[in-house]
Coordinates of all heavy atoms in Angstrom, one line a residue:
Chain A
Q228 N -4.1 -0.5 -24.7 CA -2.7 -0.3 -24.9 C -2.2 -1.3 -26.0 O -1.3 -1.0 -26.7 CB -1.9 -0.5 -23.7 CG -2.1 0.6 -22.7 CD -1.0 0.8 -21.7 OE1 0.0 0.0 -21.6 NE2 -1.1 1.8 -20.9
Y229 N -2.9 -2.4 -26.1 CA -2.6 -3.3 -27.1 C -3.4 -3.2 -28.4 O -2.9 -3.2 -29.5 CB -2.6 -4.8 -26.6 CG -2.4 -5.8 -27.7 CD1 -1.1 -5.9 -28.2 CD2 -3.4 -6.4 -28.3 CE1 -0.9 -6.8 -29.3 CE2 -3.2 -7.3 -29.4 CZ -1.9 -7.4 -29.9 OH -1.7 -8.3 -31.0
F230 N -4.7 -3.1 -28.2 CA -5.7 -3.2 -29.3 C -5.4 -2.1 -30.4 O -5.5 -2.3 -31.6 CB -7.1 -3.0 -28.8 CG -7.6 -4.2 -28.0 CD1 -8.5 -4.0 -27.0 CD2 -7.1 -5.4 -28.3 CE1 -8.9 -5.1 -26.2 CE2 -7.5 -6.5 -27.5 CZ -8.5 -6.3 -26.5
V231 N -5.0 -0.9 -29.9 CA -4.7 0.2 -30.9 C -3.2 0.1 -31.2 O -2.4 0.2 -30.3 CB -5.1 1.5 -30.3 CG1 -4.8 2.7 -31.2 CG2 -6.6 1.5 -29.8
Q232 N -2.9 0.0 -32.5 CA -1.5 -0.3 -32.8 C -0.6 0.9 -32.4 O 0.5 0.7 -32.0 CB -1.3 -0.5 -34.3 CG 0.1 -1.1 -34.6 CD 0.4 -1.1 -36.0 OE1 -0.5 -1.2 -36.9 NE2 1.7 -1.1 -36.3
A233 N -1.2 2.1 -32.5 CA -0.4 3.3 -32.1 C 0.0 3.3 -30.6 O 1.0 3.9 -30.2 CB -1.2 4.6 -32.4
N234 N -0.8 2.6 -29.8 CA -0.5 2.5 -28.4 C 0.3 1.3 -28.0 O 0.7 1.1 -26.9 CB -1.8 2.4 -27.6 CG -2.7 3.6 -27.7 OD1 -2.2 4.6 -28.1 ND2 -3.9 3.5 -27.3
R235 N 0.6 0.4 -29.0 CA 1.2 -0.9 -28.7 C 2.5 -0.8 -28.0 O 2.9 -1.7 -27.3 CB 1.2 -1.7 -29.9 CG 0.9 -3.2 -29.7 CD 0.5 -3.9 -30.9 NE -0.9 -3.8 -31.3 CZ -1.4 -4.2 -32.4 NH1 -0.7 -4.7 -33.4 NH2 -2.7 -4.0 -32.7
G236 N 3.2 0.3 -28.3 CA 4.5 0.5 -27.7 C 4.4 0.6 -26.2 O 5.3 0.2 -25.4
Y237 N 3.3 1.1 -25.7 CA 3.1 1.2 -24.2 C 3.0 -0.2 -23.6 O 3.5 -0.5 -22.5 CB 1.8 2.0 -23.8 CG 1.8 3.3 -24.4 CD1 0.5 3.9 -24.8 CD2 2.9 4.1 -24.6 CE1 0.5 5.1 -25.4 CE2 2.8 5.4 -25.2 CZ 1.6 5.9 -25.6 OH 1.5 7.1 -26.1
S238 N 2.3 -1.1 -24.3 CA 2.1 -2.5 -23.9 C 3.5 -3.1 -23.8 O 3.8 -3.7 -22.8 CB 1.2 -3.2 -24.9 OG 1.2 -4.6 -24.6
L239 N 4.2 -3.0 -24.9 CA 5.6 -3.6 -25.0 C 6.5 -3.0 -23.8 O 7.2 -3.8 -23.2 CB 6.2 -3.3 -26.3 CG 7.5 -4.0 -26.7 CD1 7.2 -5.4 -26.9 CD2 8.1 -3.4 -27.9
W271 N 5.8 -11.0 -26.3 CA 6.7 -9.8 -26.3 C 8.1 -10.1 -26.1 O 9.0 -9.3 -26.4 CB 6.2 -8.8 -25.2 CG 5.0 -7.9 -25.6 CD1 4.3 -7.2 -24.6 CD2 4.4 -7.5 -26.8 NE1 3.3 -6.5 -25.2 CE2 3.4 -6.7 -26.6 CE3 4.7 -7.9 -28.2 CZ2 2.6 -6.1 -27.6 CZ3 4.0 -7.3 -29.2 CH2 2.9 -6.5 -28.9
Y273 N 9.7 -12.2 -27.7 CA 10.2 -12.3 -29.1 C 10.4 -10.9 -29.7 O 11.4 -10.5 -30.3 CB 9.2 -13.1 -29.9 CG 9.1 -12.8 -31.4 CD1 10.2 -13.1 -32.2 CD2 8.0 -12.2 -31.9 CE1 10.1 -12.8 -33.6 CE2 7.9 -11.9 -33.3 CZ 9.0 -12.2 -34.1 OH 8.9 -11.9 -35.4
V274 N 9.3 -10.0 -29.5 CA 9.4 -8.7 -30.1 C 10.5 -7.9 -29.4 O 11.2 -7.2 -30.2 CB 8.0 -8.0 -29.9 CG1 8.1 -6.6 -30.4 CG2 6.9 -8.8 -30.6
E277 N 13.7 -9.0 -31.0 CA 13.8 -8.5 -32.3 C 14.3 -7.0 -32.3 O 15.1 -6.6 -33.2 CB 12.5 -8.7 -33.1 CG 12.2 -10.1 -33.5 CD 13.1 -10.6 -34.6 OE1 13.6 -9.8 -35.5 OE2 13.3 -11.8 -34.6
Q278 N 13.7 -6.3 -31.4 CA 13.9 -4.8 -31.4 C 15.2 -4.4 -30.7 O 15.8 -3.4 -31.1 CB 12.7 -4.1 -30.8 CG 11.4 -4.3 -31.7 CD 10.3 -3.3 -31.3 OE1 10.5 -2.6 -30.3 NE2 9.3 -3.3 -32.1
Chain C
M1 N 15.8 -7.3 -39.0 CA 14.8 -6.9 -38.0 C 13.4 -6.7 -38.6 O 13.2 -6.1 -39.6 CB 15.3 -5.6 -37.4 CG 16.6 -5.7 -36.6 SD 16.2 -6.2 -34.9 CE 17.9 -6.7 -34.3
V2 N 12.5 -7.2 -37.8 CA 11.1 -7.0 -38.3 C 10.6 -5.6 -37.9 O 10.9 -5.1 -36.9 CB 10.2 -8.1 -37.5 CG1 8.8 -8.0 -38.0 CG2 10.8 -9.5 -37.7
D3 N 9.8 -5.0 -38.8 CA 9.2 -3.7 -38.5 C 7.8 -4.0 -37.9 O 6.9 -4.5 -38.7 CB 9.1 -2.8 -39.7 CG 8.4 -1.5 -39.3 OD1 8.3 -1.2 -38.1 OD2 8.0 -0.8 -40.3
F4 N 7.6 -3.8 -36.7 CA 6.3 -4.1 -36.0 C 5.3 -3.0 -36.1 O 4.2 -3.1 -35.8 CB 6.5 -4.5 -34.6 CG 7.3 -5.8 -34.4 CD1 8.7 -5.8 -34.2 CD2 6.6 -7.0 -34.4 CE1 9.4 -7.0 -34.0 CE2 7.3 -8.2 -34.2 CZ 8.7 -8.2 -34.0
G5 N 5.9 -1.8 -36.4 CA 5.0 -0.6 -36.5 C 4.8 0.0 -35.1 O 4.0 0.9 -34.9
F6 N 5.6 -0.5 -34.1 CA 5.6 0.1 -32.8 C 6.9 -0.3 -32.1 O 7.5 -1.2 -32.6 CB 4.4 -0.3 -32.0 CG 4.3 -1.8 -31.8 CD1 4.9 -2.4 -30.7 CD2 3.7 -2.6 -32.7 CE1 4.8 -3.8 -30.5 CE2 3.6 -4.0 -32.6 CZ 4.2 -4.6 -31.5
S7 N 7.3 0.4 -31.1 CA 8.5 0.1 -30.4 C 8.4 0.5 -28.9 O 7.4 1.1 -28.5 CB 9.7 0.7 -31.1 OG 9.5 2.1 -31.1
L8 N 9.5 0.2 -28.2 CA 9.5 0.6 -26.8 C 9.3 2.1 -26.7 O 9.9 2.9 -27.4 CB 10.8 0.2 -26.1 CG 11.0 -1.3 -25.9 CD1 12.5 -1.6 -25.5 CD2 10.1 -1.8 -24.9
S9 N 8.5 2.5 -25.7 CA 8.2 4.0 -25.6 C 9.2 4.6 -24.6 O 9.5 3.9 -23.6 CB 6.8 4.2 -25.1 OG 5.9 3.4 -25.8

Side-chain angles (χ1 to χ4, degrees):
Chain A
Q228 292 203 354
Y229 173 74
F230 292 148
V231 180
Q232 194 190 334
N234 295 345
R235 218 163 275 171
Y237 307 145
S238 172
L239 188 69
W271 278 162
Y273 152 69
V274 178
E277 286 290 329
Q278 294 194 355
Chain C
M1 292 274 167
V2 184
D3 178 17
F4 294 93
F6 59 93
S7 58
L8 289 171
S9 313

